[in-house]
Amino acid sequence: QVQLMESGETSVQTGGSLRLSCRATGITFSTYSLGWFRQAPGKEREGVAAIDSDGKISYTDSVKGRFTLSKDNAKNTLYLQMNSLKPEDSAMYYCAAGLWVASRLDVYEYNYWGQGTQVTVSS
């Protein structure tokens, strides 16, 4: 059974930093594409950052230079370091895993999803 579990501090003021973690079980972690997605109230879920099994990383334009995605295959864990946070970064953040992902930031490419964790950036 595949499980993805997000964790991390989830509330910060504008300009602050947060780090999210996502531990995966039930998959061969190193062979999957892995990503972070977010969904704000009334908006569609969007790709934030994602990494292929070969290590290629994509970021959505709004987080480039502020967010850093990394993973530890030995720990089956995906990370998202978020710096210089803005109120518009507030959303439910999800991690996801998928095989044969052609477009890293496309939500429809991913098969498995975590339950999500709420990130709130206050002004």
Side-chain angles (χ1 to χ4, degrees):
Q1 182 180 1
V2 178
Q3 287 190 324
L4 303 174
M5 187 167 295
E6 301 96 342
S7 63
E9 294 183 5
T10 59
S11 181
V12 71
Q13 291 188 327
T14 297
S17 298
L18 291 174
R19 188 193 197 204
L20 301 181
S21 300
C22 173
R23 188 171 185 279
T25 58
I27 61 172
T28 305
F29 193 74
S30 60
T31 64
Y32 274 70
S33 293
L34 305 160
W36 288 99
F37 297 80
R38 66 186 180 187
Q39 188 168 17
K43 294 188 177 181
E44 293 186 353
R45 191 171 297 188
E46 64 169 349
V48 175
I51 184 169
D52 283 343
S53 58
D54 59 2
K56 293 179 182 176
I57 299 176
S58 295
Y59 296 95
T60 193
D61 287 346
S62 63
V63 307
K64 286 179 181 177
R66 300 189 298 122
F67 290 14
T68 303
L69 181 148
S70 62
K71 67 172 182 173
D72 186 332
N73 287 336
K75 295 182 179 180
N76 275 22
T77 302
L78 183 71
Y79 303 98
L80 185 66
Q81 177 66 43
M82 304 184 290
N83 299 329
S84 302
L85 281 159
K86 306 174 182 180
E88 51 264 43
D89 294 316
S90 297
M92 185 73 81
Y93 281 71
Y94 300 88
C95 69
L99 279 174
W100 315 116
V101 169
S103 179
R104 299 182 196 101
L105 297 179
D106 187 341
V107 300
Y108 298 104
E109 297 271 3
Y110 290 80
N111 308 101
Y112 303 107
W113 292 84
Q115 81 286 355
T117 187
Q118 178 68 41
V119 170
T120 302
V121 183
S122 57
S123 57

